[in-house]
Amino acid sequence: MTDISQPLMTGTEFQDPRYADIDLWPTDSILDALAESQMSATAIVRAAVPQLDRVVTAARPRLLAGGRLFYVGAGTSGRIGLQDGVELTPTFGWPPERLVLLLAGGPAAIFQAAEGAEDREDTAREDILAHNPGPEDVVIGIAASGATPYTCAAVAAVRASGALTIGVSCNSEGRLLREAELAVRIVTGPEVISGSTRLKAGTAQKAALNLLSTTLMIRLGHVWRGQMVDMRVVNAKLEHRAERMVRTLTGCSADEAREALAATKGNVKRAVLVREGLTVDEADRLLEVHGGDLRAVFTASGGAG
């Protein structure tokens, strides 16, 4: 008879008997086992591409309409979500006011584990509803077990607002996948070290979110000809990168690229249009008309987009 007072053990919590004596193994064998598990994680994510495709298809129109992108999680899964989310602004120019990052335990949990916080469903509901979510928003809940109370409660609360909800889990079943409208199942199974989901499950979650967010940014027009044309230029290294990008995309000289970037306050996308003979105001107007999509601008004008 099942003891219902205890949480059900999920696939990520099982022990793989192959590794029962791993502490006795030679160091190179331990490393090889860990490397093998990491490789299997990426293969599992690739098999989930059809699920990720459905998410991108559903999320894109909401984000094009001005919706926000939420990441919600606890512990390792939450920190992986934060890592993916915070990179979107510098890499793709995603507006920070349209990014909401929720981690059980708050900012302090970034640097120190706050495991008890993951059980606080009341806090989860308060945290996410404080942002007044609506139908144009997209919410990604991440939980290796698929059962973390904080993440499940937040997703359930926000789904009632009409927002698109996505559950990313390393188990095939679980409350998160039932609460979310769309499920991404990346079933990684037992870890080399039983229950340590910072390992294979962590890698799978990071890879899945990387595929999802990067594809979304591409489909939202933040990439043109394989270049990060909305990249935020905030240091010397990125100034050189932006200059190289403008030169590559337009065939201009280094001086011409620097001049165009100076005129557009470091914006590669607008600098490209300036090099095509537009004024900054004209570039802004065309990008606004075409939803910020540089290829659409060139296609409409009969150019080389």
Side-chain angles (χ1 to χ4, degrees):
M1 181 176 178
T2 301
D3 181 0
I4 61 173
S5 68
Q6 298 298 320
L8 293 175
M9 185 173 288
T10 58
T12 53
E13 295 292 331
F14 289 133
Q15 182 171 13
D16 189 327
R18 290 180 297 168
Y19 308 116
D21 295 320
I22 195 170
D23 55 307
L24 301 177
W25 292 10
T27 298
D28 63 340
S29 297
I30 295 172
L31 291 167
D32 189 64
L34 290 167
E36 180 185 34
S37 75
Q38 298 293 295
M39 292 173 66
S40 72
T42 57
I44 290 163
V45 171
R46 188 172 187 182
V49 162
Q51 300 172 59
L52 296 169
D53 184 3
R54 287 192 289 272
V55 171
V56 171
T57 300
R60 181 174 179 266
R62 298 180 188 237
L63 297 177
L64 281 173
R68 293 168 295 175
L69 187 57
F70 288 64
Y71 288 77
V72 185
T76 298
S77 297
R79 286 185 283 272
I80 289 170
L82 290 184
Q83 182 183 1
D84 192 75
V86 298
E87 293 292 339
L88 299 183
T89 296
T91 306
F92 299 109
W94 184 254
E97 65 274 13
R98 293 177 61 196
L99 181 66
V100 179
L101 306 174
L102 296 179
L103 176 65
I110 297 173
F111 304 103
Q112 185 172 352
E115 302 302 342
E118 72 175 42
D119 297 326
R120 296 295 304 272
E121 296 197 19
D122 55 340
T123 303
R125 288 187 286 268
E126 291 171 4
D127 287 350
I128 201 159
L129 294 178
H131 293 277
N132 297 312
E136 293 178 348
D137 293 327
V138 176
V139 179
I140 305 172
I142 312 112
S145 67
T148 305
Y150 180 94
T151 310
C152 294
V155 167
V158 79
R159 185 171 180 179
S161 72
L164 176 67
T165 52
I166 300 130
V168 179
S169 171
C170 294
N171 284 304
S172 61
E173 303 296 335
R175 179 183 168 191
L176 177 63
L177 302 181
R178 295 192 300 272
E179 300 285 14
E181 182 177 342
L182 296 177
V184 177
R185 294 175 171 87
I186 41 175
V187 184
T188 51
E191 297 283 358
V192 173
I193 300 173
S194 181
S196 182
T197 53
R198 61 179 287 273
L199 299 175
K200 180 169 53 173
T203 297
Q205 289 173 93
K206 178 67 176 72
L209 291 176
N210 207 333
L211 267 63
L212 176 56
S213 62
T214 301
T215 304
L216 268 173
M217 294 300 113
I218 293 171
R219 299 293 290 128
L220 291 169
H222 297 289
V223 174
W224 184 60
R225 292 188 171 178
Q227 302 279 358
M228 304 176 289
V229 289
D230 274 327
M231 175 188 75
R232 296 285 176 92
V233 180
V234 295
N235 58 39
K237 178 189 76 173
L238 296 180
E239 288 175 0
H240 291 304
R241 181 182 295 170
E243 177 191 314
R244 185 170 64 250
M245 288 166 64
V246 174
R247 291 176 63 188
T248 299
L249 293 169
T250 68
C252 69
S253 68
D255 287 341
E256 289 169 333
R258 284 193 291 269
E259 181 180 342
L261 286 164
T264 58
K265 298 181 180 178
N267 184 273
V268 173
K269 183 182 285 184
R270 287 163 174 77
V272 167
L273 292 175
V274 167
R275 286 303 312 150
E276 293 293 321
L278 276 65
T279 66
V280 175
D281 288 343
E282 288 169 339
D284 286 341
R285 182 180 59 79
L286 283 175
L287 287 169
E288 183 176 357
V289 167
H290 294 284
D293 190 325
L294 191 54
R295 186 174 294 279
V297 171
F298 279 110
T299 300
S301 65

